[in-house]
DNA sequence: AATACGTGGTT
DNA sequence: TAACCAAGTAT
């Protein structure tokens, strides 16, 4: 038995859904039940706040309204639509998965656990979210909200940063989820976590299920959930070169296909330690003028980039390396750049073109 | 299991 | 400020 005795799942379901029916936010992806749209919203919402997602979601849906529209798009277009949202592998995986749905499933998002979980970028949470929200299938969709709510309801002290903990919560959800309103049930749990059962200072007095909450009863709601601390990101110093030709164009390059910021565009960079002369040697050009224009500090989840930016006017025809292009300012605006390099465009290229 | 993978907002 | 957080997934 996973759940403690005094818990009445039917009363809990009733109280939770009654509150959800009354208080749920009017969000763009709640106005429809197109599985494709639900899918896109769930990918965007991974580790990303609702307020951040909304404008991206609206633009993305206008640009790629259907499975076919997205499947037929170029990856460059998709990444451009994702620019600034972060975790860019989400966009590339979604694109690949939608192509798969188009070719293998006739454009219909699958509704079985095995098939949907095979899709790139669809893990246990997203699989459950699509199955329940789009198809009303009673599958668990355990995200950070749900783990927080359940750890409080049942006073569970397992570390929610551990993968094994999510599985325990999935087991609990399978036991208590509404069989008739799985879609609303999962969304209500997440909505509760977002609006009432918040990480700090949960609004227990407003909580529709406070009568069912063991943490509340024991006064330990602020101690839950237990979550291991993250490690500090490590600093990396590098140089970024804005190389400007005599006709006012810029050298940009596409990052590697894997790893950090995969397939996004950037200005050429050198690891700290290499001199500018050595770095520019490869391009076979002369330096007309060089100035250190800015210092960019950009914090990722696991790294901090400290970039010294140099604006370098060059003469001669630069020799371009693999994945590099010579482009105008307008062409730059059509490519997807990470925020770190957008800072360079904003400062070092202002007044250019 | 632990780590890589972005960004912006809060405290 | 530094730390933490947000509808996670792939490896």
């Amino acid at each position: 038995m996973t759940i403690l005795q005094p818990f009445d799942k039917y009363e809990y379901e009733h109280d939770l859904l009654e509150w959800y029916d009354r208080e749920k936010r009017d969000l763009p992806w709640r106005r429809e039940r197109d599985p494709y749209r639900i899918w896109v919203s769930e990918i965007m919402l991974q580790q990303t706040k609702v307020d951040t997602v909304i404008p991206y979601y609206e633009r993305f849906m206008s640009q790629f309204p259907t499975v076919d529209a997205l499947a037929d798009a170029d990856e460059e277009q998709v990444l451009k639509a994702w620019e600034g949202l972060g975790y860019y592998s989400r966009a590339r995986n979604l694109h690949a998965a939608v192509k798969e749905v188009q070719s293998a499933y006739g454009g219909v998002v699958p509704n079985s656990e095995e098939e949907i979980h095979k899709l790139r970028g669809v893990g246990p949470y997203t699989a459950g979210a699509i199955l329940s929200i789009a198809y009303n299938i009673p599958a668990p969709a355990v995200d950070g909200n749900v783990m927080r709510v359940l750890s409080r309801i049942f006073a569970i002290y397992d570390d929610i940063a551990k993968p094994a903990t999510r599985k325990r919560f999935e087991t609990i959800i399978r036991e208590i989820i509404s069989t008739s309103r799985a879609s609303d049930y999962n969304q209500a749990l997440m909505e509760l976590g977002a609006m009432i059962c918040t990480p700090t200072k949960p609004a227990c007095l407003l909580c529709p299920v406070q009568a069912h909450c063991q943490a509340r009863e024991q006064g330990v709601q602020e101690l839950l959930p237990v979550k291991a601390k993250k490690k500090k990101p490590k600093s990396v110093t590098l140089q970024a070169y804005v190389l400007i030709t005599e006709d006012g164009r810029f050298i940009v390059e596409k990052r590697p296909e894997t790893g950090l910021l995969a397939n996004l565009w950037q200005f050429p960079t050198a690891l700290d330690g290499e001199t500018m002369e050595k770095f520019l040697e490869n391009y076979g050009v002369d330096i007309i003028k060089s100035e250190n224009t800015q210092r960019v500090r950009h914090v990722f989840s696991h790294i901090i980039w400290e970039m010294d930016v140099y604006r370098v006017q060059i003469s001669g025809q630069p020799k371009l390396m693999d994945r590099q292009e010579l482009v105008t300012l307008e062409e730059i605006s059509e490519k997807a750049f990470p925020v770190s390099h957008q800072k360079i465009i904003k400062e070092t290229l202002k007044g250019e073109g």
Side-chain angles (χ1 to χ4, degrees):
Chain A
M1 180 60 80
T2 314
I3 300 167
L4 291 92
Q5 279 310 330
F7 183 75
D8 184 327
K9 69 176 182 180
Y10 298 108
E11 274 188 31
Y12 178 78
E13 174 184 335
H14 175 267
D15 294 344
L16 179 66
L17 290 179
E18 188 181 65
W19 168 81
Y20 181 69
D21 289 339
R22 198 173 62 241
E23 302 287 344
K24 68 180 172 190
R25 288 170 292 176
D26 176 27
L27 302 174
W29 45 89
R30 283 189 179 152
R31 297 184 168 187
E32 48 220 308
R33 185 162 283 188
D34 176 354
Y36 164 70
R37 292 178 163 252
I38 302 297
W39 180 11
V40 171
S41 74
E42 289 303 335
I43 299 297
M44 285 189 170
L45 285 163
Q46 290 170 6
Q47 299 291 285
T48 311
K49 288 198 161 39
V50 165
D51 289 346
T52 303
V53 166
I54 290 174
Y56 280 91
Y57 178 80
E58 302 280 22
R59 283 196 298 273
F60 199 92
M61 280 311 162
S62 304
Q63 198 176 350
F64 312 111
T66 62
V67 164
D68 284 338
L70 183 55
D72 295 341
D74 293 328
E75 186 184 280
E76 291 273 325
Q77 256 185 295
V78 179
L79 284 174
K80 183 63 187 176
W82 211 271
E83 183 184 54
L85 197 52
Y87 285 149
Y88 299 97
S89 66
R90 290 184 295 175
R92 293 184 298 108
N93 288 338
L94 173 63
H95 190 213
V98 163
K99 282 174 176 290
E100 171 76 6
V101 166
Q102 185 191 49
S103 61
Y105 300 104
V108 180
V109 180
N111 65 350
S112 77
E113 192 112 28
E114 320 83 65
E115 287 178 324
I116 203 164
H117 196 282
K118 281 186 209 157
L119 298 171
R120 297 284 300 173
V122 178
Y125 162 75
T126 306
I130 296 171
L131 289 173
S132 62
I133 297 173
Y135 294 113
N136 203 32
I137 294 169
V142 176
D143 71 339
N145 284 312
V146 174
M147 288 197 283
R148 183 170 58 256
V149 170
L150 295 183
S151 68
R152 285 172 176 163
I153 294 290
F154 299 114
I156 291 171
Y157 287 79
D158 295 14
D159 180 0
I160 65 169
K162 292 192 183 304
T165 303
R166 194 206 72 241
K167 292 185 181 176
R168 181 175 181 192
F169 286 123
E170 283 176 351
T171 302
I172 294 176
I173 289 294
R174 287 187 196 282
E175 291 184 34
I176 65 175
I177 190 171
S178 167
T179 50
S180 59
R181 296 185 63 189
S183 172
D184 289 336
Y185 192 93
N186 279 342
Q187 291 186 78
L189 229 32
M190 292 188 274
E191 190 81 350
L192 188 70
M195 307 305 291
I196 304 287
C197 197
T198 48
T200 59
K201 300 182 181 172
C204 296
L205 296 179
L206 300 176
C207 182
V209 294
Q210 53 176 292
H212 308 272
C213 186
Q214 296 194 17
R216 167 68 174 156
E217 187 181 321
Q218 298 167 21
V220 296
Q221 64 272 19
E222 301 262 23
L223 302 178
L224 290 168
V226 173
K227 190 178 183 182
K229 288 180 182 174
K230 285 176 185 166
K231 288 186 290 192
K232 285 186 195 169
K234 292 191 175 166
S235 242
V236 177
T237 304
L238 36 82
Q239 290 77 47
Y241 294 106
V242 176
L243 304 175
I244 311 178
T245 59
E246 288 161 303
D247 61 355
R249 291 194 290 173
F250 307 88
I251 296 176
V252 294
E253 63 187 21
K254 196 173 181 178
R255 290 180 57 84
E257 308 178 9
T258 58
L260 182 65
L261 307 171
N263 283 355
L264 267 68
W265 290 82
Q266 67 173 16
F267 298 100
T269 60
L271 240 37
D272 196 34
E274 190 176 13
T275 65
M276 184 184 307
E277 290 69 28
K278 187 74 182 169
F279 181 80
L280 289 174
E281 223 172 67
N282 310 312
Y283 292 89
V285 295
D286 291 320
I287 302 174
I288 302 300
K289 181 186 177 189
S290 159
E291 53 179 332
N292 182 195
T293 51
Q294 65 180 139
R295 172 101 172 180
V296 171
R297 178 187 167 84
H298 190 81
V299 181
F300 297 93
S301 44
H302 58 306
I303 303 173
I304 300 174
W305 273 0
E306 305 276 6
M307 278 194 299
D308 289 310
V309 183
Y310 296 88
R311 182 182 186 280
V312 185
Q313 290 178 276
I314 58 177
S315 71
Q317 186 65 239
K319 191 193 309 171
L320 297 181
M321 291 178 287
D322 189 35
R323 298 169 73 87
Q324 289 189 329
E325 287 181 14
L326 195 55
V327 298
T328 63
L329 198 56
E330 187 175 342
E331 287 167 328
I332 282 182
S333 70
E334 294 164 1
K335 298 180 181 300
F337 280 71
V339 169
S340 50
H341 283 250
Q342 287 176 32
K343 292 174 184 173
I344 296 175
I345 295 172
K346 191 172 192 299
E347 277 307 305
T348 293
L349 271 66
K350 73 182 171 195
E352 210 73 45

